[in-house]
Amino acid sequence: MEAWLEEKWAEHRKRKRRMNRWVFGVQAMLLAAFILLWELAGRMRWIDVLIFSYPSKVGGQIIKDMVNGELWPHLAMTVGETAVGFLLGTLLGTLLAVLIWWSPFLSKVLDPYMVVFNSMPKVALGPIFIVLFGAGFTAIVITTLSITVIVTTLVVFNSFNEVDSNLVKVIRTFGGSRRDVFLKAILPASFPAIVSTLKVNVGMAWVGVIVGEFLVAKIGLGYLIVYGFQVFNFTLVLSSLVIIAIVATAMYQMVVYIERKLIKER
């Protein structure tokens, strides 16, 4: 029986690896087809190259900025802001979720305010943050936190409430305190949701940082995008967007790797 189970498990893993290779292959082909079509459209003037440019021109812009060193300060600033906003947003949002779970009274008090704040356009809040914290790193990070903290709080808090009530009843039956309920039932059961929130916050953090840089920055990838629009250098705009996509994807894959490691260890 054990040998049969091992054989079936090996077959399952083999099919999964084969599926993953197929998925990656199709993804790579779609990306290559898009790049080739875009390049052809630009070369044949099917599109307005002043606005849409084309891949070889965008790649040339990126390489030029890397070689002359102009790219690195902007990239370092944006990545630093994103990392700080991502980590702080996840931490503060999780702590706030724990706090409002711990106090049902506080949860009822804060619930409408969190919903309203989450629905507010953060671009409108940007000027207020600039006045309060100055035009710089702090204002951009606060803009990022205004997006990531509430999203994290709502997702994690909902995961707390969705934990099987029977687990809570068992701990209560044996005389467990609210602290015991949280540490032995709520938190362990919600751990996958908390880790998955990291993936959501990657995108949210990038949105917050770029919005903040649009409003106030004098350095960063968001600043390069605004500057490119101002001087009608749309190749610079697109190259900045490509860099953002590459770095954001790398950051997302890093979070996925950490998630797999943590869940596997558990």
Side-chain angles (χ1 to χ4, degrees):
M1 182 66 178
E2 184 177 347
W4 181 81
L5 289 175
E6 290 181 357
E7 182 182 352
K8 290 299 180 182
W9 176 246
E11 291 178 0
H12 170 73
R13 294 180 61 183
K14 186 176 180 180
R15 287 195 300 268
K16 188 175 180 180
R17 286 195 296 267
R18 188 185 302 114
M19 175 63 72
N20 289 339
R21 286 195 295 269
W22 272 103
V23 169
F24 179 78
V26 173
Q27 289 174 338
M29 287 189 293
L30 287 175
L31 179 60
F34 171 75
I35 292 174
L36 289 174
L37 181 61
W38 183 13
E39 181 76 20
L40 181 62
R43 296 285 185 178
M44 301 298 293
R45 295 298 189 271
W46 296 343
I47 57 175
D48 188 343
V49 294
L50 176 64
I51 298 176
F52 298 104
S53 191
Y54 46 88
S56 59
K57 195 173 181 181
V58 172
Q61 178 75 47
I62 294 174
I63 293 173
K64 184 188 75 172
D65 291 340
M66 291 174 63
V67 171
N68 61 27
E70 293 181 2
L71 173 64
W72 304 116
H74 297 283
L75 179 60
M77 179 59 69
T78 299
V79 171
E81 292 164 345
T82 304
V84 172
F86 167 73
L87 294 174
L88 282 180
T90 302
L91 177 62
L92 294 176
T94 302
L95 291 177
L96 182 56
V98 172
L99 182 63
I100 62 177
W101 176 88
W102 204 279
S103 173
F105 174 79
L106 185 61
S107 173
K108 293 178 181 179
V109 170
L110 294 181
D111 182 66
Y113 294 101
M114 289 193 298
V115 172
V116 170
F117 186 79
N118 188 49
S119 64
M120 293 182 67
K122 304 308 181 288
V123 176
L125 297 175
I128 299 176
F129 296 144
I130 293 170
V131 172
L132 290 175
F133 303 102
F137 182 89
T138 303
I140 294 173
V141 171
I142 294 299
T143 302
T144 306
L145 293 180
S146 69
I147 298 176
T148 56
V149 169
I150 299 300
V151 172
T152 301
T153 301
L154 295 175
V155 172
V156 174
F157 180 65
N158 286 335
S159 72
F160 288 168
N161 290 332
E162 291 173 358
V163 173
D164 189 352
S165 60
N166 291 324
L167 296 176
V168 177
K169 291 179 182 178
V170 169
I171 296 175
R172 289 292 193 185
T173 300
F174 285 95
S177 64
R178 191 164 182 80
R179 180 174 179 272
D180 293 326
V181 170
F182 180 76
L183 293 178
K184 296 179 181 180
I186 302 299
L187 186 59
S190 302
F191 186 77
I194 295 173
V195 176
S196 295
T197 305
L198 295 173
K199 295 189 288 186
V200 176
N201 276 351
V202 170
M204 295 294 100
W206 276 98
V207 170
V209 166
I210 299 303
V211 167
E213 290 184 347
F214 281 172
L215 295 172
V216 67
K218 295 181 180 179
I219 185 173
L221 297 176
Y223 166 78
L224 288 181
I225 293 173
V226 173
Y227 175 76
F229 276 117
Q230 290 173 342
V231 299
F232 291 93
N233 186 351
F234 293 100
T235 299
L236 177 61
V237 174
L238 290 172
S239 67
S240 300
L241 292 174
V242 169
I243 293 170
I244 290 173
I246 293 173
V247 179
T249 301
M251 186 174 175
Y252 180 86
Q253 291 300 323
M254 186 183 303
V255 171
V256 170
Y257 175 78
I258 294 173
E259 177 190 25
R260 289 174 180 171
K261 285 293 184 182
L262 291 175
I263 292 179
K264 185 177 180 180
E265 289 177 0
R266 291 180 64 85

